[in-house]
Amino acid sequence: MTSSQDQKKAGAGPFVLSIDAMGGDRGPATIVAGIADSAAKNPDIRFILHGPAEELEKLVAKRKGLADVCEIRDASGVVSMDDKPSQVMRNGKNTSMWSALDSVRNNEATVAVSCGNTGALMALSMIRLRKLKGVNRPAIAILWPSRNPQGFNVMLDVGADIRADAHDLLQYALMGSSYARNGLALRMPRVGLLNVGTEEHKGRSELKEAHELISQAASEGAGFEFVGFVEGGDIPGRKADVIVTDGFTGNVALKTGEGTASLIGDLLKEAFAYSFLSRLASLLALTSLRRLKKRIDPRRVNGGVFLGLNGTVVKSHGSADATGVSAAVKLAFKLAQIGFTDKLAARVASTATLDHDGGAFEAKDGTTK
Amino acid sequence: MTSSQDQKKAGAGPFVLSIDAMGGDRGPATIVAGIADSAAKNPDIRFILHGPAEELEKLVAKRKGLADVCEIRDASGVVSMDDKPSQVMRNGKNTSMWSALDSVRNNEATVAVSCGNTGALMALSMIRLRKLKGVNRPAIAILWPSRNPQGFNVMLDVGADIRADAHDLLQYALMGSSYARNGLALRMPRVGLLNVGTEEHKGRSELKEAHELISQAASEGAGFEFVGFVEGGDIPGRKADVIVTDGFTGNVALKTGEGTASLIGDLLKEAFAYSFLSRLASLLALTSLRRLKKRIDPRRVNGGVFLGLNGTVVKSHGSADATGVSAAVKLAFKLAQIGFTDKLAARVASTATLDHDGGAFEAKDGTTK
């Protein structure tokens, strides 16, 4: 494969992605099928694939041309969905997940992709990649289908940490808007802070404090517009491009949205199966329904992004099929291509001085207060 | 109209409902249209209608037979959507909302219905009806379309209070299961506690404590089964019948679910409008789509119920049309008919001794510890 010098620079390809082949519900064959799809579509992608070498070599050999753009790194251990993060941090050195993160740590790749255990992946990412200077709690950001022209809103944190204080929420606003600017090509993303009402006096005290901090950062040129408090209905709405919340609320909202969409899909199927006429209608409607499904298919927007680390990690759904893996790889490639890791780091560093409150933020002289 | 002696007893009708005619987005004509629909369908409903007498008399006179089952109580003041709860508590004595609650307070009706400002309605309900002995924070419960055979799950709190400690969450489990038992005819409702994972070690400390308290209450015969932690995806799922959470998380989840459903509905319309063939298909599919819409139409499950007060209050959507108002009235009637207020009070009192921790709960001797 092409060797990669200083993958941290943005610019022309090829770009190397580090792929954890293990830990997905469907096994490594699905991961290899997904990266093969991506490789076929995009000649500028290179892979470092982590897992049991013998098994992976066989799987890669079956896919025409894949061996030319894919280097295999042997790692015999696998992080399972049941493993606790603390166990993996202590005993996970031989796992494919650890190995995949270390390729980013060693600057062989800028972005890692894994379908594995989210908690373990975040815990390992924190110790192997370390938090960005100025970031207290990294966050997981996702793209949520929305009414906005770009088709998606960014929402974070959806579950990296169940807590977030006002300063963390300010960091999420900075990181989320950087993701929206680079990932969704929005020059000046609109940030909303999730609450139970839009009036300024509403909600928990940390939200009122965060409202002030984010408002101040926006007015001092942090590169986003602050639209104030938004409600759950605005997550798929057009009022904001970036929805900021703590990881507990964000995780519940994400799963509620997914569950609601899935229920409606099943009820739609039931409704169409009801009578002969409705079955006939559903045949005719198939194209329309497929179009809709494509628009909101979770497989096509597969990939939570870990923000706030020295390196970018894309977390694919554990149950992702080849299409889902390929979507996560596409997102990872896009982020590698635009040099997202560096851009995010620069944004966080440049706005660290906006936080007049001190906290765990980086001061102008580069030291941490 | 029929006079009502001791409406607090369950049994045969007629049953008197106290209706706030004002404060809805569409004005009193819509409320009157809604109660007229209900009256036409059910000969056992009687109304006390609160608002400006002159205006209401004209509206009621237009509906055949309505005047015979509807008494009007003059109240000139209106609580608007912008009024702060504290203002209404101080200066709201002349409002239709205050008057509607006082009919329940005075035992003329057991259930009140209002389309008005939720915050003000809850605040007024607390001072006019008072909290049930043994309840620290009343909650708002709603019915959420679900995969369960009964078609709906109960979820609470969806926004009465942004906080809830472990003891409040236990109370919600008791009140929510009482609502499910009486409102959904489930002998032994299954209660789930909302969290970001189902493992017992996960989540905030108050959730772990609540897990213990609820688990203990269930094992000591509180009349429900406890299925432990559930996730956002389980709110419309079949794992539990009652979902317990704090009012902040519940409110965000509710609005996220509504927003997601509404987005999918609009995208479905767009998908069908795409081409001639898809428009033709949509014509044929109309019946199926209407069947689905009816199943998840928020107007047909209109009505959050305030639990934990001396009296039951049904909060209808502010934007409810006549169908929505009629659905809220139907729910209120059902609750009046089964004597829900008394049943809930008895359940809370009988299980107060289950709380070995003390707190604000009622002791066996009837005093509040």
Side-chain angles (χ1 to χ4, degrees):
Chain A
M1 65 171 282
T2 313
S3 85
S4 58
Q5 270 96 32
D6 198 5
Q7 279 292 332
K8 293 225 163 187
K9 290 273 182 297
F15 296 93
V16 184
L17 305 177
S18 176
I19 313 284
D20 174 9
M22 312 305 287
D25 301 346
R26 298 168 189 242
T30 302
I31 312 287
V32 171
I35 68 169
D37 283 0
S38 298
K41 280 182 204 150
N42 192 330
D44 279 342
I45 307 186
R46 301 290 178 276
F47 301 102
I48 308 177
L49 190 64
H50 305 260
E54 208 174 329
E55 187 179 358
L56 296 184
E57 272 158 19
K58 279 182 209 158
L59 290 169
V60 168
K62 281 188 204 160
R63 306 277 165 178
K64 201 185 152 200
L66 187 56
D68 301 337
V69 295
C70 181
E71 179 188 332
I72 290 166
R73 291 278 167 85
D74 188 48
S76 57
V78 175
V79 176
S80 82
M81 288 295 173
D82 303 325
D83 285 338
K84 287 193 185 163
S86 53
Q87 291 170 337
V88 179
M89 283 163 79
R90 274 196 307 275
N91 311 316
K93 268 192 188 142
N94 69 337
T95 62
S96 57
M97 189 185 275
W98 187 294
S99 179
L101 291 170
D102 272 11
S103 282
V104 174
R105 180 187 166 104
N106 303 333
N107 286 343
E108 296 174 290
T110 50
V111 183
V113 178
S114 176
C115 291
N117 181 326
T118 308
L121 185 61
M122 181 49 95
L124 275 192
S125 297
M126 302 255 275
I127 58 166
R128 298 314 291 160
L129 304 182
R130 300 267 164 205
K131 293 187 278 187
L132 264 183
K133 262 187 197 167
V135 173
N136 182 31
R137 291 186 213 271
I140 306 177
I142 52 138
L143 296 176
W144 191 297
S146 83
R147 293 174 196 271
N148 273 316
Q150 71 271 15
F152 298 96
N153 291 340
V154 170
M155 164 130 153
L156 75 168
D157 173 28
V158 299
D161 200 312
I162 53 171
R163 287 146 307 195
D165 65 19
H167 292 91
D168 299 325
L169 293 169
L170 168 61
Q171 286 298 328
Y172 296 174
L174 294 169
M175 298 194 298
S177 55
S178 178
Y179 183 34
R181 202 161 31 243
N182 291 289
L184 297 174
L186 298 170
R187 199 184 55 79
M188 195 74 171
R190 295 160 304 154
V191 171
L193 183 59
L194 193 60
N195 198 351
V196 294
T198 54
E199 302 89 345
E200 286 193 22
H201 66 276
K202 276 211 171 178
R204 297 165 168 164
S205 61
E206 75 266 25
L207 285 179
K208 288 176 216 171
E209 198 192 332
H211 191 289
E212 272 182 44
L213 290 177
I214 297 173
S215 176
Q216 193 181 330
S219 70
E220 291 178 7
F224 62 83
E225 184 192 332
F226 183 47
V227 299
F229 289 136
V230 295
E231 298 183 272
D234 298 316
I235 302 175
R238 57 165 67 89
K239 212 163 157 184
D241 306 299
V242 178
I243 316 290
V244 167
T245 189
D246 66 274
F248 184 91
T249 311
N251 187 271
V252 167
L254 171 62
K255 287 176 179 165
T256 303
E258 285 177 344
T260 305
S262 149
L263 174 67
I264 296 174
D266 289 354
L267 291 176
L268 199 59
K269 264 183 234 154
E270 266 177 46
F272 274 120
Y274 189 76
S275 69
F276 173 72
L277 189 65
S278 61
R279 283 197 298 273
L280 179 69
S282 81
L283 276 179
L284 282 172
L286 262 187
T287 327
S288 303
L289 293 177
R290 282 210 188 110
R291 200 175 300 122
L292 171 62
K293 204 175 167 195
K294 190 167 170 178
R295 171 87 164 73
I296 57 169
D297 186 351
R299 296 181 310 164
R300 291 181 185 271
V301 286
N302 182 31
V305 178
F306 291 6
L307 302 176
L309 301 160
N310 293 299
T312 299
V313 179
V314 173
K315 165 66 178 75
S316 161
H317 243 295
S319 60
D321 61 8
T323 306
V325 171
S326 181
V329 166
K330 189 176 168 186
L331 175 61
F333 176 76
K334 195 173 168 188
L335 295 174
Q337 198 177 26
I338 57 182
F340 179 60
T341 303
D342 287 350
K343 285 187 176 169
L344 178 68
R347 175 61 62 172
V348 169
S350 76
T351 46
T353 52
L354 290 173
D355 176 49
H356 303 304
D357 197 272
F361 287 63
E362 199 188 13
K364 262 190 175 150
D365 61 3
T367 59
T368 301
K369 281 197 265 189
Chain B
M1 65 171 284
T2 314
S3 85
S4 58
Q5 271 97 31
D6 198 5
Q7 278 292 328
K8 293 227 162 184
K9 292 273 180 298
F15 296 93
V16 184
L17 304 178
S18 176
I19 312 284
D20 174 9
M22 311 305 287
D25 301 346
R26 296 169 190 240
T30 301
I31 312 286
V32 172
I35 68 168
D37 283 359
S38 298
K41 282 182 204 149
N42 192 331
D44 279 343
I45 307 187
R46 301 290 177 276
F47 302 102
I48 308 176
L49 190 62
H50 305 260
E54 208 174 328
E55 188 179 358
L56 295 184
E57 271 158 20
K58 279 183 208 156
L59 291 169
V60 168
K62 280 187 205 162
R63 306 277 166 176
K64 203 186 152 198
L66 186 56
D68 302 336
V69 295
C70 181
E71 180 188 330
I72 291 165
R73 292 278 167 85
D74 188 48
S76 57
V78 175
V79 176
S80 81
M81 288 295 173
D82 303 325
D83 285 337
K84 287 192 185 162
S86 53
Q87 292 171 337
V88 178
M89 284 164 79
R90 273 197 308 275
N91 311 315
K93 268 192 189 144
N94 69 336
T95 62
S96 57
M97 189 184 275
W98 187 295
S99 180
L101 291 170
D102 272 11
S103 281
V104 174
R105 179 186 167 104
N106 304 333
N107 287 342
E108 297 174 289
T110 50
V111 184
V113 178
S114 176
C115 292
N117 180 326
T118 309
L121 185 61
M122 181 48 97
L124 275 192
S125 298
M126 303 254 276
I127 57 165
R128 298 315 290 161
L129 305 181
R130 299 267 164 206
K131 293 186 277 187
L132 264 183
K133 262 185 195 169
V135 173
N136 182 32
R137 291 185 213 272
I140 306 176
I142 51 137
L143 296 176
W144 192 298
S146 82
R147 294 175 195 270
N148 274 317
Q150 71 271 16
F152 298 96
N153 291 339
V154 171
M155 163 131 154
L156 75 169
D157 173 27
V158 298
D161 200 312
I162 52 171
R163 288 146 306 194
D165 65 19
H167 292 90
D168 299 325
L169 293 169
L170 169 62
Q171 286 298 327
Y172 296 174
L174 293 169
M175 299 195 297
S177 55
S178 178
Y179 183 33
R181 200 160 34 243
N182 291 290
L184 297 175
L186 298 171
R187 199 184 56 78
M188 195 75 172
R190 295 161 304 154
V191 171
L193 183 59
L194 193 60
N195 198 351
V196 294
T198 54
E199 302 90 344
E200 287 193 22
H201 65 276
K202 277 210 170 179
R204 297 164 169 164
S205 62
E206 75 266 26
L207 285 178
K208 288 176 216 172
E209 198 191 331
H211 191 288
E212 273 182 42
L213 290 177
I214 298 173
S215 176
Q216 194 181 329
S219 70
E220 292 177 9
F224 61 83
E225 184 192 331
F226 183 47
V227 300
F229 289 136
V230 295
E231 299 184 272
D234 298 316
I235 302 175
R238 56 166 68 90
K239 211 164 158 183
D241 307 299
V242 178
I243 315 290
V244 167
T245 188
D246 66 275
F248 184 91
T249 310
N251 186 272
V252 167
L254 171 62
K255 287 175 179 166
T256 303
E258 285 177 344
T260 305
S262 150
L263 174 67
I264 295 175
D266 290 353
L267 292 176
L268 200 60
K269 265 183 233 155
E270 265 178 46
F272 274 121
Y274 190 76
S275 68
F276 173 70
L277 189 65
S278 61
R279 281 198 299 274
L280 179 69
S282 81
L283 275 180
L284 282 173
L286 261 188
T287 327
S288 303
L289 292 177
R290 283 212 188 109
R291 200 175 300 124
L292 171 62
K293 206 179 164 191
K294 191 166 171 181
R295 171 87 164 73
I296 57 169
D297 186 350
R299 295 181 310 163
R300 291 179 187 273
V301 287
N302 183 33
V305 178
F306 291 6
L307 302 176
L309 301 161
N310 292 298
T312 300
V313 179
V314 172
K315 165 66 178 76
S316 160
H317 242 295
S319 60
D321 60 8
T323 306
V325 171
S326 182
V329 166
K330 188 177 168 187
L331 174 61
F333 176 76
K334 194 171 170 189
L335 295 174
Q337 198 178 26
I338 56 182
F340 178 61
T341 302
D342 287 351
K343 285 187 176 168
L344 178 68
R347 175 62 62 175
V348 169
S350 75
T351 47
T353 51
L354 291 173
D355 177 49
H356 303 304
D357 197 274
F361 287 63
E362 199 188 11
K364 261 190 176 149
D365 60 4
T367 60
T368 300
K369 283 195 263 189

